[in-house]
Amino acid sequence: MSDTEHSTATQPTGGADSASTAHRVGVLVGASLMSVSLGAYELVPASVTPLIQDSLGVGQSAAGLVVGVMFGTAVVASLPVGVLLDRTDSRRTVAVGIGLLLVGGAWGWQAATDGAYWPLLASRVLGGIAYVVTWNAGIDIVGRSFSGPNQATAVSTFTASGPVGFALGQALGPVVAGVWGWPAVFPVFAVCSLPGLALFLATSRGLGRAAATPTPTWADLRGVVTDRRVLLVGALGFLGYALYLFVNSWAPSYLTQQLDLSLALGGALTALFPAVGVLSRVTGGLLSDRLFGGRRTPVVLGSFVVATPIVAGFTGLQRIPVIVAALLVSGFAIQLCLGLVFAYVRELVAPEVAATAVAFLTSVGLAGAFLAPIAAGALIELVGYPITFGLAGGLGLVGVVLALYAPEP
């Protein structure tokens, strides 16, 4: 039953409307709480990397893989998960995803306690699968709940849970490690997802799959990943996430190695770039829904237009106040589109294959996040920071061109 049908089928009382609104808000809050926990679980090993190295006797690359393997897993698993969501009840699949997360958290704790590196890595692969299940299903059901003039705002608000989770993982990981030992970071942040799951299940009844929605055929699903419009939005997602992770990964090194800032100051300044995304991602949806009357391309175009020259010219900045302003403005600009594109892509396809479209975008976006820091590192060694940042600006310019040709839903 659609939102419109639901509102006409109920009695025209304030109580009924309030209950409907309360349930939609509950779905959004519950899904966001789960996503915050998953984001913290995903990034928390980065906050205890020295402890991982000392305890397991591994180098920096092997320790970094404990974080990176979840991104790699998500790239591979996202599209099959989306196909599954379009052929099953995605509401129940969320519960399965959190169950996998709990198993992965417990397995990770046991492996880390035993000093077993490869089982620990395998537990993180399981966590990566849990992540894409919950993320894709969350976007699907939040989008289903808020279909209409508030959809982009709701979906963008949900995606803002990502940077919140990253920040909490970075801040609280050392605290958890100090109290219970570093292996405890895996089960603690997995268990934190349970309150969100409880709220989500209580408020999302009937939203997993509408009874009248036909099960998509394999031809329908193939049509999603060959649709030119979906591919175009996927390319925009790839470029946006590539720029986002490029700056996150290499701005601290540039500030410390080239400008002689302390590691603490360089990290603190760079933290402004993702932190502003909590506000930016919500703003992207609001601007699209309210200022542009549901049009998506003006916000996406503006995102790349503002961020591109700042990223390209970042190495020309020398004064700390100017660097702070550049990180805040570019971080705000590029993240305007990172939440919006998920609402955008699902509107380009039929409702019965919307989860597949979201999963495709998740996969290509995370591929950009996974590949950009690696490619940038190789380029920095070869040609230095200024040319590498300039080439990153070139990616932003490609985003400008693609956004000019992107279709409206």
Side-chain angles (χ1 to χ4, degrees), residues 75-153:
V75 170
V76 174
S78 182
L79 189 55
V81 165
V83 172
L84 175 67
L85 291 173
D86 276 327
R87 300 180 69 85
T88 59
D89 186 331
S90 53
R91 176 176 177 268
R92 295 177 181 175
T93 310
V94 168
V96 174
I98 296 301
L100 293 176
L101 176 66
L102 294 173
V103 173
W107 186 8
W109 173 80
Q110 186 63 59
T113 301
D114 293 342
Y117 176 77
W118 292 109
L120 173 60
L121 212 60
S123 77
R124 299 287 289 170
V125 170
L126 186 62
I129 296 172
Y131 177 84
V132 292
V133 167
T134 308
W135 175 265
N136 290 335
I139 290 174
D140 181 48
I141 296 181
V142 168
R144 197 190 302 274
S145 301
F146 287 85
S147 58
N150 295 314
Q151 183 181 100
T153 303

Side-chain angles (χ1 to χ4, degrees), residues 325-350:
L327 288 169
L328 285 172
V329 174
S330 61
F332 186 89
I334 199 59
Q335 292 182 84
L336 277 175
C337 74
L338 293 189
L340 181 63
V341 288
F342 287 99
Y344 186 2
V345 77
R346 72 186 310 277
E347 293 168 335
L348 297 173
V349 299

Side-chain angles (χ1 to χ4, degrees), residues 75 135 228-246 281 300-301 303-304 334-345 348 357-372 395-396 398-400 402-403 406:
V75 170
W135 175 265
R228 185 188 66 84
R229 301 171 303 163
V230 173
L231 292 174
L232 185 54
V233 176
L236 288 167
F238 178 92
L239 294 169
Y241 273 95
L243 284 176
Y244 177 62
L245 263 294
F246 166 73
R281 297 187 190 209
V300 177
L301 176 61
S303 173
F304 283 102
I334 199 59
Q335 292 182 84
L336 277 175
C337 74
L338 293 189
L340 181 63
V341 288
F342 287 99
Y344 186 2
V345 77
L348 297 173
V358 168
F360 173 76
L361 180 59
T362 299
S363 182
V364 296
L366 290 178
F370 181 69
L371 294 174
L395 289 180
V398 174
V400 171
L402 292 181

Side-chain angles (χ1 to χ4, degrees), residues 63 139 212 221 259 279 333 384 409:
I139 290 174
L221 298 172
L259 299 186
L279 173 63

Side-chain angles (χ1 to χ4, degrees), residues 176-371:
V176 172
V179 176
W180 293 295
W182 75 267
V185 300
F186 302 112
V188 164
F189 287 105
V191 168
C192 286
S193 64
L194 290 177
L197 176 63
L199 177 60
F200 176 82
L201 292 177
T203 55
S204 63
R205 293 186 179 90
L207 292 173
R209 170 168 289 281
T213 301
T215 299
T217 65
W218 290 109
D220 294 331
L221 298 172
R222 283 195 302 272
V224 171
V225 297
T226 56
D227 187 314
R228 185 188 66 84
R229 301 171 303 163
V230 173
L231 292 174
L232 185 54
V233 176
L236 288 167
F238 178 92
L239 294 169
Y241 273 95
L243 284 176
Y244 177 62
L245 263 294
F246 166 73
V247 177
N248 266 321
S249 300
W250 289 106
S253 297
Y254 167 74
L255 294 175
T256 56
Q257 294 176 3
Q258 302 296 308
L259 299 186
D260 295 324
L261 301 184
S262 69
L263 186 62
L265 180 57
L269 292 180
T270 308
L272 297 171
F273 183 84
V276 74
V278 176
L279 173 63
S280 175
R281 297 187 190 209
V282 178
T283 301
L286 283 170
L287 287 174
S288 179
D289 282 337
R290 303 301 180 187
L291 182 61
F292 295 108
R295 289 187 296 143
R296 310 308 186 201
T297 54
V299 177
V300 177
L301 176 61
S303 173
F304 283 102
V305 165
V306 174
T308 293
I310 299 176
V311 173
F314 186 75
T315 56
L317 307 177
Q318 301 295 321
R319 298 177 57 203
I320 298 299
V322 178
I323 291 171
V324 169
L327 288 169
L328 285 172
V329 174
S330 61
F332 186 89
I334 199 59
Q335 292 182 84
L336 277 175
C337 74
L338 293 189
L340 181 63
V341 288
F342 287 99
Y344 186 2
V345 77
R346 72 186 310 277
E347 293 168 335
L348 297 173
V349 299
E352 60 266 25
V353 290
T356 299
V358 168
F360 173 76
L361 180 59
T362 299
S363 182
V364 296
L366 290 178
F370 181 69
L371 294 174

